[in-house]
Amino acid sequence: MYKKRTIALLVVVAMVASCLLTLTLTGQWSFAGSGPLRSGIFADNVGTGSKEGIKKIETAMQLVKNNYVEGVDQQKLVDGAIDGMMNALGDPFSSYMGPETAQQFSEQIEGSFTGIGAEVSMENGNVVVVSPIKGSPAERAGIKPKDILLSVNGESFEGLSLNEAVAKIRGPKGTKAKIKVKRAGSTNTLEYTIVRDDIALETVYARMEEGKVGVIEITEFSMNTAERFKQELANLEKQGMKGLVIDVRNNPGGVLQIVIEMAEHFVPKGKSIVQVEDKNKQREKTVSKGVGKTYPIAVITNKGSASASEILAGALQESADAKLIGEATYGKGTVQTSFSREMGDGSLLKVTIAKWLTPNGEWIHKKGIEPDVAVSQPGYFSVAPINKEKTYKYDMLGEDIKSAQTMLQGLGYDPGRTDGYFSKATETALKKFQTDKKLQATGVLDEKTAEALEAALIEQIRDPKHDNQMNRAIEVIRKEITSPVSNK
C-alpha cells in the first residue's frame, strides 16, 4: 500500500504545496465533530495520554535547542514537528502548510495561480504527477499523469520531502525548469524544459459542435467555476443545444460545494448527488434541488479525472442517466477541511475528515469509476520525447528510436516497426518526413529532425479530429439525439 507523504499539490510558482486533488470544504460539516479549539497547549479537553505526549514533544524540542551543535530556529522545529505529525497519519491528503504556502493554496482555490501547471503528489518517496492542467506549460511540454519527477535543473528529489522538492522547483515567471522524468513503459529517463508562466484563470470552456451538441470543458472546480459553468450552459441552451458533452479529463478536483452546485443543473429534484461519511460511519446525503434536463448528457473522463471530477461523473451517471466515456478515473474518495484561523499565524492544517460515496453508496477510493464506453487515445498521445543530445541512424537500437517510430507512424509515415530497431523502412520513412519538412533527407535522426517530429506531433494531437474520446462522446450524443427514446 502507499507509504507516501502526499500533499497532493498544484504546481504554483513552480509547484506549491497542497492541491485541488484534495476535495476541499469551505465550511465544516455539522457531524465533523470539530468544535472550537481551547487555548493553551494543555487544554482542558486533552486527556492524560495526550498531555504526556505533548510534554514529550516539548522536552525533545528543549533538548535540541540546548544541546545541538549549531543555532536552532525554533519555528523550523515547530513546523517540522507538525509536518511529522501529519506524515504519521499515512494519509496523502492531510498536510501542514506554512504561511506562504497556505496563502498560495488560498489563491489557487480562488482560481488564481502561477507555475508550470501540474498536479502532483508524493507516492512511495516519489514526486508523481496526477495530471497537468489544461493549456499549462506542463501540458504543452508533454508532462503526463503518473509521470515520476526525478530532478529539476540537475538537483535530485531523492530523499527529499514533497515540500523540499517543491522548493527546488520554484522560481520566477519566465525562468526555465529542466525536469527529468521517469515514465511507465520507458526504460530511459526523459527530460523536459518547462518555462514557468501564469496559469490561465479560466476553468470553463464551451463550444457548439455540429448537430447542436454542446461541449463544456472544466479544468478544475475553483470558487468561480460554478458561476462560469452556469453562464456557458445557459448560452448553449439559448443556441438550441440538443445534447451536452462535459469534459473533465485531467481535472484534479476542487471545492465540494462548487461541484454540488454544478451537478444540480442535471440531477432531478430529490435524487442524490453525493454521500459523505464521517469517522463514526454517519452519512449525510446531499440531494438535488434542481429539475434535471431533458437532453442527453455524456461525461468524458481519464485517469487524471480526480476527486470533485469523480463526484460529478458519479452523480450524473447514477442520478442523471449520463454516459461516461473514456477511461477509468483516478480514484480519490476522501474529503478534507482546512484549519487556518485556529493556527493563528497564517499557516494551515488540512485534514481528511470524511469519505465520499456515489449516490448508490459506492466508495471509489483507489478504484476510480469505470466508463460506460471505454475509449483510449492514439498511442502517440503519450509517446516519450526524444533525447536531442544524441544522433541515431540505421542498425541502431534504443528507446528514442522507438519514440521516433511511434511519432512517424502517428504522422502517417510508415516506419515498418515500432520496437526501437532502426530498420531500412524506418530510414526511408524518416527521409520522406525530412523531405516534407524541407530538411536535409539524410535518414538520420538528429536534433533538428527530432524537434521537427515533436512539433508536428504536438500539432496533430491538438487537432480535434484526432481526439478519439471527444469524438466518440459527440457521436454517442448525436445518436441519442436522433433516437426516439432520447427524451428523458
Side-chain angles (χ1 to χ4, degrees):
M1 301 302 290
Y2 292 151
K3 181 184 178 184
K4 60 185 184 179
R5 174 71 171 100
T6 308
I7 303 177
L9 53 99
L10 177 67
V11 180
V12 176
V13 178
M15 290 184 178
V16 168
S18 183
C19 77
L20 295 177
L21 174 66
T22 300
L23 186 62
T24 304
L25 288 175
T26 54
Q28 301 270 349
W29 285 86
S30 59
F31 57 75
S34 52
L37 301 180
R38 303 290 186 91
S39 61
I41 198 166
F42 295 120
D44 293 341
N45 60 344
V46 176
T48 302
S50 296
K51 289 181 180 180
E52 292 175 353
I54 293 170
K55 183 64 176 176
K56 184 177 179 180
I57 294 171
E58 289 181 330
T59 299
M61 288 182 63
Q62 197 62 43
L63 288 169
V64 170
K65 285 179 63 179
N66 292 343
N67 296 283
Y68 187 64
V69 67
E70 296 179 0
V72 174
D73 184 333
Q74 181 166 320
Q75 188 58 51
K76 285 187 177 180
L77 292 182
V78 172
D79 288 345
I82 300 173
D83 205 42
M85 188 186 307
M86 304 310 290
N87 183 38
L89 293 174
D91 173 24
F93 307 111
S94 293
S95 63
Y96 169 72
M97 305 175 212
E100 182 181 351
T101 301
Q103 176 62 32
Q104 291 166 331
F105 173 71
S106 298
E107 291 174 355
Q108 152 201 334
I109 291 296
E110 294 296 327
S112 172
F113 39 86
T114 303
I116 68 169
E119 206 78 41
V120 303
S121 67
M122 181 73 79
E123 301 180 12
N124 300 318
N126 296 317
V127 180
V128 180
V129 175
V130 175
S131 67
I133 303 300
K134 178 181 172 62
S136 68
E139 185 193 51
R140 292 195 298 270
I143 297 293
K144 304 293 182 184
K146 304 298 183 183
D147 279 352
I148 297 174
L149 308 185
L150 303 174
S151 67
V152 60
N153 296 333
E155 296 188 75
S156 174
F157 297 148
E158 186 175 358
L160 301 183
S161 68
L162 190 56
N163 278 336
E164 289 171 331
V166 166
K168 290 186 177 296
I169 301 174
R170 292 176 183 168
K173 173 184 174 181
T175 58
K176 293 181 179 180
K178 187 174 287 187
I179 297 177
K180 283 194 175 180
V181 171
K182 181 179 179 181
R183 178 174 296 165
S186 178
T187 57
N188 294 338
T189 58
L190 315 174
E191 188 169 88
Y192 295 89
T193 299
I194 305 174
V195 180
R196 303 173 179 103
D197 199 357
D198 292 330
I199 306 303
L201 301 181
E202 185 59 83
T203 60
V204 179
Y205 303 82
R207 66 182 187 273
M208 186 75 82
E209 292 286 338
E210 185 179 346
K212 294 296 182 180
V213 177
V215 175
I216 301 181
E217 299 177 50
I218 309 166
T219 61
E220 63 189 48
F221 295 89
S222 297
M223 295 301 292
N224 63 347
T225 304
E227 182 59 33
R228 286 287 299 115
F229 183 82
K230 180 180 178 181
Q231 293 169 359
E232 294 295 351
L233 181 63
N235 184 47
L236 289 172
E237 289 177 339
K238 286 178 183 177
Q239 295 177 51
M241 181 176 69
K242 297 180 180 179
L244 176 64
V245 174
I246 300 174
D247 186 357
V248 292
R249 290 175 295 178
N250 293 335
N251 180 325
V255 182
L256 178 58
Q257 186 55 41
I258 295 301
V259 71
I260 289 173
E261 289 178 27
M262 294 167 67
E264 283 194 314
H265 289 289
F266 310 103
V267 176
K269 184 176 181 179
K271 282 196 171 187
S272 176
I273 292 175
V274 66
Q275 301 183 59
V276 178
E277 181 179 289
D278 73 355
K279 65 189 300 181
N280 299 315
K281 307 299 181 184
Q282 294 180 334
R283 291 188 186 181
E284 183 170 309
K285 182 183 292 187
T286 299
V287 297
S288 178
K289 299 174 184 176
V291 296
K293 301 294 183 181
T294 59
Y295 48 73
I297 301 164
V299 181
I300 314 178
T301 62
N302 66 5
K303 59 187 176 183
S305 304
S307 198
S309 294
E310 295 173 289
I311 289 181
L312 184 67
L316 269 56
Q317 183 186 49
E318 296 181 3
S319 295
D321 298 323
K323 290 280 195 307
L324 299 194
I325 296 171
E327 301 166 344
T329 61
Y330 182 86
K332 192 270 183 182
T334 56
V335 183
Q336 286 69 41
T337 193
S338 298
F339 300 92
S340 56
R341 178 178 55 82
E342 294 85 348
M343 300 302 286
D345 64 349
S347 61
L348 181 148
L349 203 67
K350 183 156 57 63
V351 182
T352 296
I353 62 166
K355 63 173 68 172
W356 70 263
L357 302 92
T358 68
N360 294 342
E362 181 75 16
W363 194 37
I364 58 88
H365 199 58
K366 298 183 181 179
K367 298 185 296 182
I369 303 175
E370 293 292 333
D372 297 303
V373 182
V375 183
S376 298
Q377 296 289 51
Y380 60 80
F381 269 58
S382 57
V383 67
I386 300 167
N387 184 347
K388 315 297 187 305
E389 296 177 359
K390 296 183 179 180
T391 299
Y392 302 92
K393 57 186 178 181
Y394 171 67
D395 205 30
M396 295 180 73
L397 185 68
E399 286 294 318
D400 289 316
I401 297 170
K402 183 177 180 179
S403 292
Q405 290 170 330
T406 301
M407 293 178 190
L408 286 166
Q409 187 176 68
L411 293 168
Y413 300 89
D414 183 10
R417 59 203 299 162
T418 57
D419 59 0
Y421 174 69
F422 205 126
S423 65
K424 280 295 182 182
T426 300
E427 184 181 67
T428 299
L430 200 60
K431 284 181 178 180
K432 189 173 189 316
F433 172 80
Q434 290 169 328
T435 299
D436 290 346
K437 295 299 178 181
K438 296 180 171 51
L439 299 171
Q440 187 176 357
T442 61
V444 174
L445 182 59
D446 54 17
E447 181 180 359
K448 286 186 177 180
T449 303
E451 288 175 349
L453 271 174
E454 291 179 359
L457 193 71
I458 289 171
E459 185 177 345
Q460 177 147 318
I461 289 173
R462 289 177 178 171
D463 188 337
K465 72 181 180 183
H466 300 297
D467 188 342
N468 289 351
Q469 293 166 343
M470 177 62 72
N471 293 335
R472 185 63 179 278
I474 292 173
E475 177 189 342
V476 166
I477 292 300
R478 283 175 180 156
K479 286 183 178 178
E480 289 203 31
I481 289 172
T482 59
S483 170
V485 293
S486 63
N487 290 334
K488 299 177 183 176

